[in-house]
Amino acid sequence: MAVNGDWSDCGFLVLNAGSSSLKVALFAATGDEALLSGKVEKIGPDGVIQLKDAQGQALPVAEGVAEGDLGTHTGALMVVIRTIQRHFPALRLAAVGHRIVHGGPQFNAPLVITPDVMRTLEALAPFAPLHQPHNLAGVRAAMAAFPGVPQVACFDTAFHRDQPFVNDTFGLPSRYYEQGVRRYGFHGLSYEYITGQMRQLAPQLAAGRVVVAHLGNGASMCAVHDGRAVASSMGFSPLDGLAMGTRCGQIDPGVLLYMLDQEKLSSAEIARVLYHESGLLGLSELSNDMRTLEAAGTPQAQRAIDYFVMRAQRELGALAAQLGGLDALVFSGGIGENSVLIRARICERLGWMGIELDPARNAEHATWISAEQARTAVLVVRTHEELVIARSVRAVVGMA
Ligand code: ADP
């Protein structure tokens, strides 16, 4: 920790622990550039680690890393820590920031993880069984590695917690709402970053009615008015709304009853279909990766793309209705930032919403891609969730 508020030799780590991956970024006490960033993928017997420095140059991992060290989250974190110690021997770690997918109804801002907070986060695991346990494994690994160092939780749900009741609830008996069965949203760290960027890029638009489309392997859209979330395409779980790489998106709950009653699938089997076998992969029977589908040119790949585009247009229309109109549409996430085709396809036939792309600017991945005369602005903004966590950590531990 800093002595007398002098943070000059301090740094802090940002961790994003998924089921089989650990993304990391190391920040100094000030500055937006990560000193080190990277990820461990396929945590297990075939674990792979890639770390780079602030200039994007590959950083060799610490010497003596043995096969099997990347077999668990804790092992992977230890390899990262030893690598940091090798390359930044004078740096003192003052805090660790964690991406936590679920903050439940109660947490609407980042906070230091106390034993009480940890218990609450563990109790929320049934709300996000495929994500929360891995996030918390990352917290435990960091607590074991850095006893006494503050661990800060930053929630993907927090950005959405102030949405009006009608966009927070389902049409179920009200006891479910009381139990916490609500529309939590997700991708909130990305939305927070993008609304912050919008305030800098276009303050007038940022004060207006904006839909942000975070289109990655996971995908959602959020309606934002004057920087505050109004409605999201994602609901109780990260399954709802848009079609995704392997997730189904919006579905009639009657289909789940059919799977249960007629196909006699167990809940685990249904979860596998909905989370891992659907979306772009399920429709194309080829890949969850949009680049692969764009290149494939097969009828089934085309159908998967058509469905992805249709769902995006429907959600956009619904969210614009919640805002009472639209001043700007912002594309983000791996697909939103990189796919000229998908941006063009989503925007085509939306002239009635004032949306009209400038094809040349779209092809150049310019920040502003709408046509000069268009009533509604369309932008591309590269998201940076780690930086949002970094800024929150600084604020929570008093570095900022
Ligand atoms: P995650 O949700 O896992 O963070 P990303 O935001 O990295 O995912 O997005 C991954 C998606 O972005 C994949 O479907 C990938 O194919 C897509 N993508 C990345 N680059 C391109 C590109 N140039 N053209 C089309 N799709 C792309």
Side-chain angles (χ1 to χ4, degrees):
M1 289 289 284
V3 182
N4 298 329
D6 177 11
W7 299 97
S8 55
D9 62 347
C10 291
F12 59 96
L13 202 54
V14 169
L15 295 184
N16 179 356
S19 55
S20 63
S21 69
L22 179 69
K23 292 187 192 154
V24 298
L26 176 72
F27 287 86
T30 56
D32 284 350
E33 294 297 327
L35 304 171
L36 167 152
S37 61
K39 56 190 167 187
V40 184
E41 288 180 303
K42 299 186 191 164
I43 289 177
D46 304 321
V48 186
I49 184 165
Q50 278 182 318
L51 298 174
K52 58 182 189 201
D53 65 15
Q55 285 73 44
Q57 300 295 318
L59 275 178
V61 294
E63 276 150 31
V65 172
E67 236 176 80
D69 282 358
L70 302 177
T72 62
H73 285 81
T74 309
L77 181 60
M78 289 316 294
V79 173
V80 171
I81 291 164
R82 280 160 54 202
T83 305
I84 290 172
Q85 285 166 344
R86 172 181 166 187
H87 293 285
F88 304 93
L91 193 91
R92 288 190 296 142
L93 208 74
V96 184
H98 298 269
R99 179 183 191 176
I100 305 289
V101 73
H102 220 301
Q106 52 273 70
F107 296 132
N108 62 1
L111 80 180
V112 172
I113 305 176
T114 61
D116 266 358
V117 170
M118 193 66 181
R119 273 188 290 277
T120 307
L121 297 180
E122 280 162 355
L124 290 168
F127 283 2
L130 301 187
H131 295 85
Q132 194 86 340
H134 304 296
N135 298 163
L136 299 184
V139 175
R140 277 189 218 96
M143 282 175 166
F146 308 111
V149 168
Q151 310 285 327
V152 179
C154 299
F155 302 103
D156 258 322
T157 47
F159 185 75
H160 304 282
R161 288 321 306 136
D162 295 332
Q163 290 186 15
F165 171 78
V166 289
N167 288 330
D168 194 34
T169 191
F170 297 99
L172 287 169
S174 57
R175 65 178 182 276
Y176 284 99
Y177 187 79
E178 300 312 322
Q179 282 172 29
V181 179
R182 303 182 187 187
R183 297 189 64 92
Y184 286 102
F186 307 101
H187 289 138
L189 299 170
S190 177
Y191 293 129
E192 191 178 329
Y193 178 78
I194 288 165
T195 49
Q197 288 298 99
M198 283 294 286
R199 274 194 289 275
Q200 292 188 0
L201 279 167
Q204 264 186 318
L205 287 178
R209 302 159 298 180
V210 178
V211 169
V212 183
H214 177 106
L215 309 179
N217 205 19
S220 71
M221 283 182 172
C222 185
V224 183
H225 190 201
D226 196 11
R228 296 172 77 91
V230 172
S232 166
S233 66
M234 264 189 185
F236 176 65
S237 71
L239 283 172
D240 202 3
L242 303 175
M244 299 171 227
T246 60
R247 291 178 235 157
C248 58
Q250 186 278 334
I251 191 166
D252 176 345
V255 176
L256 310 188
L257 296 176
Y258 170 84
M259 290 174 172
L260 271 171
D261 294 339
Q262 306 303 320
E263 294 198 304
K264 308 288 183 207
L265 296 190
S266 67
S267 64
E269 287 166 330
I270 294 176
R272 200 185 61 233
V273 173
L274 302 183
Y275 276 97
H276 301 300
E277 298 176 358
S278 297
L280 295 175
L281 174 67
L283 282 164
S284 70
E285 293 185 333
L286 175 67
S287 174
N288 64 325
D289 194 298
M290 189 59 92
R291 274 168 300 201
T292 307
L293 300 186
E294 286 186 20
T298 61
Q300 264 188 300
Q302 200 50 54
R303 283 207 321 203
I305 292 176
D306 290 347
Y307 186 77
F308 182 89
V309 168
M310 178 283 293
R311 278 249 64 92
Q313 290 174 328
R314 278 180 76 154
E315 295 291 345
L316 177 59
L319 293 175
Q322 285 303 298
L323 289 167
L326 191 64
D327 300 309
L329 167 65
V330 184
F331 283 106
S332 192
I335 298 171
E337 292 163 18
N338 298 303
S339 176
V340 176
L341 175 80
I342 298 298
R343 289 194 300 252
R345 287 283 316 275
I346 290 174
C347 291
E348 77 190 4
R349 301 198 303 129
L350 293 183
W352 59 273
M353 286 176 93
I355 289 179
E356 195 187 331
L357 284 196
D358 180 318
R361 288 191 204 156
N362 185 34
E364 288 162 12
H365 304 287
T367 301
W368 295 79
I369 59 171
S370 38
E372 209 66 61
Q373 69 280 5
R375 187 160 39 86
T376 303
V378 185
L379 293 91
V380 179
V381 177
R382 203 160 284 277
T383 195
H384 200 340
E385 288 145 312
E386 286 77 20
L387 188 53
V388 171
I389 299 176
R391 289 171 178 166
S392 298
V393 171
R394 284 188 185 123
V396 168
V397 303
M399 277 186 192

